[in-house]
Amino acid sequence: MKRLVLMLLVVAMTGVSRAKVDLVTLPSRDMVQLTIYNSADMTLVRESRDLTLKQGKNKLQFSWANTLIDPTSLEMLPKANADKIDIADLTYPPRVRNLGLWNIKSGVSGKVPVEITYLTSGLSWRAFYMGTLTDDEKTMRLKGYVRVTNNSGEDYENAQTRLIVGKVHILDQIADLARRRYPYGRPGEVVPVPRPLVPPVSAVRDKKEIAWAEVLALRPKEIKKEGLSEYFLYTIEGTETIPTGWSKRLLSFDVDEVPVVNLYKYEQERYGNSVVRFLSFKNDEEHKLGDTPIPGGMLKVYRSVDEEEHLSYTGQSSFKYIPVDEDVELNLGPVANLVVEPTLMDYRTENYRFDRRGNISGFDEIRKFKIEVRNTREIGVKVEIQRNFNTPYWRLEKSGEFDKFEKVDLDTVKFTLILEPRSAKKFEYVLTTYHGVRREETSR
Amino acid sequence: MELYIGDSRDIVVTQRDMTGAKKINVKRNRKGDIVLYDTDEIITAKIENFKDSPAVLTMIQHIPGQWDMEKCTLDKKELKLGVGYKKKHANTLEFEIKLPARTEAGPAVKELKMHYHRRNIRPGVNIRPEPSIIRR
C-alpha cells in the first residue's frame, strides 16, 4: 500500500520526443532511517533506493499525495558513480498538485543507488515511566518506555529509528509546508489534506501479521543514547516497522533499587489543609542513574505490597526534562494518612505607639501556634512544615519536638520533623510581628 | 470521631448580651476621634434541661480578637481557665456543663455568666485578626 509513487520515464537519446513509456517496477526502499524531532513535529527521513537509469537525460516523477511530506525539503544524492551523475533540478509542474519531477543527467546506465532525504510531519514519540517502590519505600525500580506514533500517512517498514530529545526552533511548521497548495510562493496558505483512506481489511490483517512477528521475536531492543550538541539522541537498535496510524512502545531503560526519599510537605498557602507527598531522587551515579538525561513524561508510581509483588497505586506526576546530576522532586498528590494540625492558641497585641497627633503609629501582634503532627503509616516519614508570614518584620520563639528549623526566606520558615511509624509529635512557636514604627524600633 | 445525629429540643439555651460592648480605657487622638479602646462585656446563658435523665452539654463560646476573662461563673460558682473550662483556640472556649434531670417543678436550670474584656480594639479594623483554622 505504498502511497509514494515513483515512476521512471525513459527518454530517447536524441532527446526531443518525451513519450510517456510504460511504468517500470518501482524500486523499493532498501534502507530507511528516521530521526524524529518531537518538539518540532519534524522527522528527517533518509531512504536509499536503487534507480534504473539510462544514459543521458532521465526524468523521475515523485508524488507525495496523502502524506505530510514537505516537498521543498526533498533532496537526492547518488551513492555510487557520483561524478558521472548530475541531479540537475527538481521542478514542480504548474497547476499540478503533489507532483515533482527530477531531471537527472546520467553518464552511466543501469542500477544506481541513490539516497533521498526529506522532512515529514506526523511522527512523534513520547516517554512514559513506571516506578515501583519497595515495601519500606526506600528504593524504587524505575522503568522508562518510549512510544513512537506514526500519523504521517506513509508506512515505514524496517526503518532505523532515532529519537531526539530537545527543543528545536523552526520558523515554518513542516505540517503547514506539507499542506500547501503548491510548493512555491510564500508559506502560509494551508489547504487541508484529505484524510488518508482507511486501508481495506485484508491489508490490515497483513500488517497485524508483521507486528506479531516482531513481538514474538524475543530479546527487547536496546536503545543507544548519546549527546549531540544541545540535544540528546536515542538510537533504537535494529529496525522498526511502523505502518501509518500505528504506534509502538519500546523499553528505554530499567533500573532497579534507585534510592529515593519519601518526603511530605505541609504548606497551607500552597497546598491547603492536607499533607502532600513528594518523591525525590537525583539523576546521578549514586542513584544508579546519571547515564543520560531523562526526557520528560508521566511517571506513575506503584508500591509493591507483599511477597507476591501485588502493586498498589500510589500516585502519578509528570515532569520535564531532567539533565544529568539534577535533583528531581515529584509531587504525588495529597495524602490522608498523615495529619498536620496547626492551632492558634493565643492572640494579643501590645506595645502601642502613638504619633504627635495621637493616632496609632505602631504595635506588636503576638500569636502563639501549636502544631500537632500525626503519622498513621507503618513506616517512618519525614515531614516539612512551611509557615509563611505576611511581613518581613517578625520574631520567633520555638519549643517542642521538631528536628530541624530553617529560615527559608525573609517571611518563610520551615520546620522538619522525622516521625516513627504510628506516632505523633507536637511543637509550638510564638510569633511576634511588628507594625508601623515598632518595625524600626526592633530592627535596630 | 463525631457523628451528628440531630438537633435536641429538650435542652434549651437562652443567651443574652447584658452590656452591649461598653467601651472602657478609651484612647483618643488630638482631634478627638477614638483610636484605641477596650470593652467590658457580660454574656449570660440560661440552660434548661427538660429531659427526664441527666445530660452533659458541651457549650462552645466564641470571643473575637484579644480578650481576657474578668470573671466566669456557673450558678454563682467561679470557673477558672483550664479547670472549669478549656481554651480550644485563641478565640474559642469550651464549657462542659453537667445538667441534672428535670424535677416535678420544672426543668433543671443552670446559669453561665461570662464577664470579659476585649482589649486593644482599633476602630475601622476588621475585628477578626486571624482566620481561625478549623480542621474539617
Side-chain angles (χ1 to χ4, degrees), chain A residues 6 91 113 157 172 186 195 214 231 243 250 270 275 280 291 311-313 335 341 356 388 396 402 428 442 444:
Chain A
L6 219 74
T91 56
E157 255 148 56
D172 297 317
R186 246 195 299 274
R195 279 187 178 281
E214 293 230 6
Y231 312 115
L250 301 139
R270 207 198 273 199
V275 180
S280 69
D291 260 344
L311 298 179
S312 91
Y313 176 73
V335 296
E341 237 179 62
R356 282 178 312 136
N388 297 305
L396 194 87
F402 58 89
E428 299 176 342
T442 49
R444 255 178 253 131

Side-chain angles (χ1 to χ4, degrees), chain B residues 6-135:
Chain B
D7 289 348
S8 160
R9 289 197 286 171
D10 287 332
I11 300 180
V12 178
V13 177
T14 315
Q15 182 151 310
R16 293 224 166 82
D17 183 357
M18 300 307 274
T19 58
K22 203 165 65 167
K23 295 195 183 76
I24 57 173
N25 292 345
V26 175
K27 194 125 169 86
R28 289 177 190 271
N29 63 3
R30 287 281 162 82
K31 252 182 21 188
D33 305 322
I34 298 177
V35 285
L36 200 67
Y37 62 93
D38 298 342
T39 65
D40 187 27
E41 290 181 49
I42 302 180
I43 304 253
T44 56
K46 186 164 93 171
I47 308 153
E48 294 168 302
N49 182 15
F50 289 93
K51 291 196 326 182
D52 294 323
S53 53
V56 175
L57 176 71
T58 308
M59 179 179 266
I60 298 174
Q61 294 283 358
H62 296 278
I63 305 175
Q66 179 184 348
W67 58 271
D68 47 68
M69 187 72 81
E70 170 88 25
K71 191 165 172 190
C72 180
T73 61
L74 179 65
D75 280 350
K76 306 278 192 286
K77 256 204 320 217
E78 190 162 341
L79 297 175
K80 290 235 188 277
L81 174 62
V83 179
Y85 60 94
K86 279 192 285 201
K87 193 166 147 183
K88 286 257 110 175
H89 177 259
N91 306 114
T92 312
L93 301 169
E94 200 177 84
F95 294 85
E96 223 178 79
I97 300 164
K98 293 189 180 57
L99 299 157
R102 61 172 293 172
T103 60
E104 286 291 326
V109 183
K110 286 219 170 177
E111 191 171 315
L112 175 74
K113 185 165 139 179
M114 298 194 300
H115 180 191
Y116 60 88
H117 303 284
R118 275 178 39 225
R119 304 282 184 200
N120 291 339
I121 298 170
R122 304 183 290 284
V125 175
N126 195 1
I127 290 177
R128 256 194 209 288
E130 183 96 15
S132 47
I133 300 151
I134 301 170
R135 194 174 109 83

Side-chain angles (χ1 to χ4, degrees), chain A residues 268-303:
Chain A
Q268 270 180 316
E269 288 81 1
R270 207 198 273 199
Y271 307 120
N273 282 334
S274 33
V275 180
V276 178
R277 180 180 179 160
F278 279 83
L279 199 68
S280 69
F281 55 96
K282 200 163 155 169
N283 184 12
D284 64 0
E285 287 255 353
E286 242 183 80
H287 290 82
K288 313 262 177 97
L289 298 162
D291 260 344
T292 79
I294 303 177
M298 173 80 77
L299 168 69
K300 285 192 158 69
V301 181
Y302 300 86
R303 190 169 162 241

Side-chain angles (χ1 to χ4, degrees), chain A residues 92-160:
Chain A
Y92 305 104
R95 290 175 293 278
V96 177
R97 290 203 58 206
N98 295 330
L99 198 74
L101 287 173
W102 292 105
N103 285 316
I104 304 173
K105 286 194 189 65
S106 173
V108 297
S109 79
K111 270 199 186 304
V112 179
V114 294
E115 185 180 87
I116 304 178
T117 64
Y118 53 88
L119 291 172
T120 181
S121 159
L123 283 149
S124 61
W125 65 273
R126 271 179 69 177
F128 296 88
Y129 302 92
M130 176 169 145
T132 312
L133 291 165
T134 51
D135 238 350
D136 59 5
E137 297 192 3
K138 292 216 167 73
T139 61
M140 170 173 83
R141 179 175 178 186
L142 188 62
K143 279 199 229 174
Y145 295 94
V146 156
R147 186 170 87 177
V148 182
T149 308
N150 178 5
N151 281 322
S152 67
E154 173 70 22
D155 299 327
Y156 291 101
E157 255 148 56
N158 298 325
Q160 189 205 24

Side-chain angles (χ1 to χ4, degrees), chain A residues 301-349:
Chain A
V301 181
Y302 300 86
R303 190 169 162 241
S304 74
V305 180
D306 48 29
E307 289 91 53
E308 277 136 58
E309 306 262 334
H310 289 131
L311 298 179
S312 91
Y313 176 73
T314 306
Q316 72 175 21
S317 166
S318 72
F319 58 87
K320 296 197 185 87
Y321 177 82
I322 304 171
V324 177
D325 286 337
E326 169 89 341
D327 283 305
V328 185
E329 218 176 55
L330 302 170
N331 184 344
L332 294 180
V335 296
N337 46 22
L338 221 77
V339 174
V340 174
E341 237 179 62
T343 317
L344 173 66
M345 289 312 289
D346 207 39
Y347 172 80
R348 61 180 200 278
T349 51

